[in-house]
Amino acid sequence: MSQSLHPMLNIAIKAARAAGAIINRGALDLDVLKVGRKGPNDFVSDVDRAAEQAIIDILLEAFPSHGILAEETGRERGNKTSEFLWIIDPLDGTTNFLHGFPVYAVSIALQHRGVTQQAVVYDPTRNDLFYASRGRGAFLNDRRLRVSKRTRLGDALVGTGFPFRKGDNFKRYVKMFEEVMQSCAGLRRPGAAALDLCYVAAGWYDGFFEMGLSPWDAAAGALIITEAGGLVGNFTGESDYLYQRELVAGNPKVYGQLVKILAPYTRVLSEPEGPIATAAAALAAAPAADAATQAFVDASAAPAPARKTVRIRKADVTPDDAAPF
């Protein structure tokens, strides 16, 4: 990579590649993996756990005062009161991985005071690294990413994710699926939301929607989309999608058309659950950063202030920005 990257992003990339190496080794002999169930159709393997441990070890070695929110271990490790929070999915697409279907990824995001500042999504089967720093653009390997320019939903390729957990509202999803499918050029469901979001950023999808996502599924991909000129929100187009378990994304034109279709199907949760609630509460009560960590932030551009929405007006996206670094 030729760009000069933020030091925190460099550490996240190191962690993602270490996890990817563990995943690629595990993929060579899937038959010997120990696999457990977190719920119906919701699996976890030794590879998930080993990859997560490797990521957290690398992050906490570099930033011992930071907080951690990880899919398998929640908030067990890290500083629970830090204003810096790493949000980690060590293997998004575990079911694909266990079947040898090569669509899965490592997802790592860093939030500072609740605003995502750094993001990495690593596809170990293709050695593709998607990454972004707030205000500095989104990239795939060395290539700057831009969302697609399609303006009509009727011409759009849209990604989605099927509900699969007990308690998911299948009937509501089928109605959404039917309406979107009849309004767009094609609907796809590869099975790894972190990659789906990156595909929107790359312009391979024009839009995406899914219910039931957790913060670790969406935090990194969402920043990569907005840094590529796209929009992310909940089904009514608001910016607090990360803890609402519903998400829609796309280029600005397609996003607006998808929101119009999906808004009647919104189900805003009044209270997040489990480790998500703990993380949200911790962020609200976070103290000032320690001096060492603050030095990393001060060494680069100051973090952007939180916005009420993540919508980007058309005028904000220039056709071909200069390289941000």
Side-chain angles (χ1 to χ4, degrees):
M1 285 171 289
S2 59
Q3 294 86 16
S4 172
L5 301 184
H6 190 290
M8 288 184 179
L9 182 61
N10 267 326
I11 297 296
I13 290 170
K14 177 183 176 183
R17 289 195 183 279
I22 291 169
I23 291 165
N24 281 340
R25 285 197 298 273
L28 296 175
D29 203 352
L30 293 171
D31 292 339
V32 303
L33 288 182
K34 293 180 181 177
V35 181
R37 285 179 182 264
K38 294 185 282 185
N41 304 320
D42 198 1
F43 302 97
V44 60
S45 72
D46 286 347
V47 168
D48 294 74
R49 296 187 181 98
E52 183 168 295
Q53 181 174 328
I55 291 167
I56 296 173
D57 285 348
I58 289 170
L59 296 178
L60 290 183
E61 181 182 3
F63 309 110
S65 66
H66 283 197
I68 300 288
L69 174 62
E71 180 176 15
E72 308 307 336
T73 57
R75 300 273 298 183
E76 285 178 16
R77 299 181 63 187
N79 178 359
K80 294 177 178 60
T81 61
S82 174
E83 64 179 12
F84 287 89
L85 182 69
W86 292 96
I87 303 178
I88 301 161
D89 192 338
L91 178 51
D92 184 38
T94 299
T95 301
N96 286 349
F97 170 75
L98 294 173
H99 287 81
F101 185 68
V103 181
Y104 42 83
V106 181
S107 177
I108 303 173
L110 175 65
Q111 286 192 341
H112 178 238
R113 296 178 181 171
V115 179
T116 305
Q117 299 292 340
Q118 312 294 337
V120 177
V121 175
Y122 179 54
D123 177 347
T125 68
R126 295 166 185 80
N127 195 26
D128 276 344
L129 186 76
F130 299 87
Y131 57 96
S133 292
R134 178 168 290 272
R136 295 187 174 192
F139 292 82
L140 166 56
N141 301 323
D142 277 333
R143 182 170 67 85
R144 181 77 180 261
L145 294 181
R146 285 293 183 191
V147 294
S148 72
K149 293 181 170 64
R150 288 186 183 85
T151 59
R152 294 180 63 252
L153 183 57
D155 299 327
L157 184 64
V158 177
T160 188
F162 301 151
F164 62 91
R165 296 180 181 89
K166 188 176 181 180
D168 286 344
N169 191 325
F170 293 95
K171 290 182 180 178
R172 187 168 86 250
Y173 179 79
V174 168
K175 290 178 183 176
M176 284 190 290
F177 183 91
E178 181 179 12
E179 196 168 344
V180 174
M181 184 171 61
Q182 294 181 59
S183 303
C184 70
L187 208 51
R188 300 289 182 267
R189 195 275 187 184
L195 281 178
D196 286 324
L197 295 171
C198 292
Y199 294 174
V200 173
W204 305 339
Y205 287 158
D206 305 293
F208 173 80
F209 72 99
E210 186 167 353
M211 302 186 304
L213 293 178
S214 296
W216 43 80
D217 298 312
L223 179 63
I224 292 169
I225 288 176
T226 57
E227 287 297 320
L231 306 179
V232 187
N234 62 22
F235 286 177
T236 54
E238 302 305 314
S239 64
D240 49 351
Y241 56 87
L242 206 57
Y243 297 99
Q244 289 195 8
R245 303 182 77 79
E246 59 179 46
L247 182 148
V248 58
N251 74 37
K253 291 288 188 182
V254 170
Y255 173 87
Q257 292 166 74
L258 282 173
V259 167
K260 194 172 289 187
I261 291 174
L262 297 172
Y265 299 99
T266 188
R267 183 180 67 104
V268 175
L269 298 182
S270 58
E271 291 293 337
E273 299 172 0
I276 299 174
T278 307
L283 283 170
D290 65 283
T293 299
Q294 192 63 48
F296 273 100
V297 177
D298 295 340
S300 64
R307 298 184 189 177
K308 188 174 182 182
T309 71
V310 293
R311 298 181 184 181
I312 301 172
R313 300 299 175 202
K314 205 168 182 184
D316 294 338
V317 184
T318 56
D320 188 18
D321 288 352
F325 302 123

